[in-house]
Amino acid sequence: DVVLINTAAILIDQNNYGVAASRALQASYIFARALLSRTEKPLRLIVLSPTTAQHAALAASLRGLYSTAAREFSHFSFKIIEVAIDTFKRGLVDNSLPGIIRNELSLWNPEENYVRFTPEGNRTVRYLKEFQPQETHHKKITVSGHYLITGGAGSLGFAFAQHLAQRGAEKITLVGRRDIDATINARLDELTTLGIEARYIAVDLAESAAVHAMVASLLSEGPITGVIHSAGHINDGLIRNKPVDIFMQVIASKVAGTINLVEALTENP
């Protein structure tokens, strides 16, 4: 079979993480689509990643991409290997990383596709476990404040807004890509009848400068109590049929949008 190693999770610029993460995902998608569509030979892919918050976030995104690819292409399987940053740096010097890779190839199990080595060298495997919700009791939001909801032009964002308004929120800002229209105005009116202050702002979350400006403007009016990031772009299709520009449109709000929101909120606490 064919074994390939993806280092996209390593070669990222942590000073410009949003752009770097999007480019790494774009390159990984182009690579997967081009290769998997042209061969039916068994193909195993290893993704190396240092264990830092930013690297791990990108590795988790790659896990989602490659999990989807594995469902579409039966000859494909993958494994993400996280190692402590010190171990990673040392492995580049003493050539111990190839030994880790060889060992993981010998232990290959498609169900064990996310392996992490602790600083002490202990091997752990991440599994997905079905969540079993417990009976809950709705609690009124007692902290008066301002809630920011992205994806505010869509039904999901509006549902969150209704939920918050009915439970004590006093002010809600809905954010979406498209310009305000009659439908959005009607939803704002409905929220207002629930006794809250509601407004809509048109912002492309993939645009870092626009997101930073929006957050700074909102914070100049007072603190933001909570954020619900429900923005998304749906364009279903198989990897083999989906051009890279469509893929980038789909992930823009969830990848760049999330990063831009976090950075703007962190820089303006």
Side-chain angles (χ1 to χ4, degrees):
D1 60 354
V2 180
V3 178
L4 297 166
I5 299 175
N6 184 338
T7 58
I10 301 170
L11 305 175
I12 64 172
D13 179 4
Q14 297 191 48
N15 295 319
N16 194 4
Y17 179 64
V19 174
S22 295
R23 287 177 177 172
L25 282 169
Q26 181 182 38
S28 298
Y29 181 80
I30 293 172
F31 170 79
R33 184 170 182 263
L35 185 64
L36 293 172
S37 299
R38 287 169 172 76
T39 180
E40 295 184 358
K41 294 181 179 179
L43 175 63
R44 293 187 288 175
L45 175 67
I46 286 179
V47 178
L48 287 176
S49 174
T51 304
T52 68
Q54 290 183 327
H55 286 99
L58 177 55
S61 299
L62 290 173
R63 184 190 194 191
L65 170 61
Y66 291 136
S67 293
T68 302
R71 289 177 177 272
E72 182 175 339
F73 300 94
S74 60
H75 60 287
F76 173 71
S77 58
F78 73 98
K79 180 180 289 188
I80 294 171
I81 304 174
E82 269 192 38
V83 294
I85 188 67
D86 290 340
T87 303
F88 186 85
K89 291 178 179 178
R90 188 170 59 251
L92 295 176
V93 176
D94 64 14
N95 207 33
S96 59
L97 282 180
I100 293 176
I101 294 172
R102 283 193 297 270
N103 186 59
E104 289 303 320
L105 287 171
S106 69
L107 298 173
W108 199 266
N109 178 352
E111 299 300 319
E112 296 184 356
N113 58 28
Y114 206 121
V115 175
R116 174 181 292 173
F117 288 90
T118 67
E120 297 75 26
N122 297 320
R123 182 180 185 270
T124 62
V125 180
R126 180 181 296 177
Y127 291 97
L128 293 178
K129 183 178 180 180
E130 183 177 356
F131 174 68
Q132 299 294 338
Q134 303 297 317
E135 183 178 354
T136 59
H137 301 281
H138 293 298
K139 294 183 178 180
K140 187 178 181 67
I141 299 173
T142 57
V143 179
S144 61
H146 178 193
Y147 292 85
L148 172 65
I149 302 176
T150 69
S155 298
L156 183 59
F158 180 61
F160 284 129
Q162 286 180 306
H163 179 86
L164 290 171
Q166 292 165 355
R167 286 164 176 77
E170 294 182 350
K171 182 178 180 180
I172 292 177
T173 296
L174 300 175
V175 177
R177 284 192 309 273
R178 75 172 189 252
D179 292 333
I180 194 166
D181 55 24
T183 299
I184 296 172
N185 273 321
R187 289 175 173 174
L188 292 176
D189 290 341
E190 184 174 338
L191 292 173
T192 302
T193 62
L194 296 174
I196 70 166
E197 179 184 345
R199 64 180 167 184
Y200 177 83
I201 300 176
V203 173
D204 184 350
L205 295 177
E207 298 294 333
S208 178
V211 174
H212 279 70
M214 174 192 69
V215 170
S217 176
L218 294 177
L219 287 173
S220 70
E221 304 172 4
I224 296 175
T225 309
V227 178
I228 296 178
H229 183 32
S230 59
H233 180 85
I234 298 176
N235 193 320
D236 293 334
L238 297 175
I239 290 176
R240 71 180 78 226
N241 299 329
K242 189 188 296 293
V244 66
D245 59 324
I246 301 299
F247 171 75
M248 295 305 294
Q249 290 175 16
V250 171
I251 71 168
S253 61
K254 287 304 185 187
V255 178
T258 300
I259 294 168
N260 291 336
L261 273 173
V262 170
E263 290 180 346
L265 290 165
T266 302
E267 293 172 9
N268 300 277

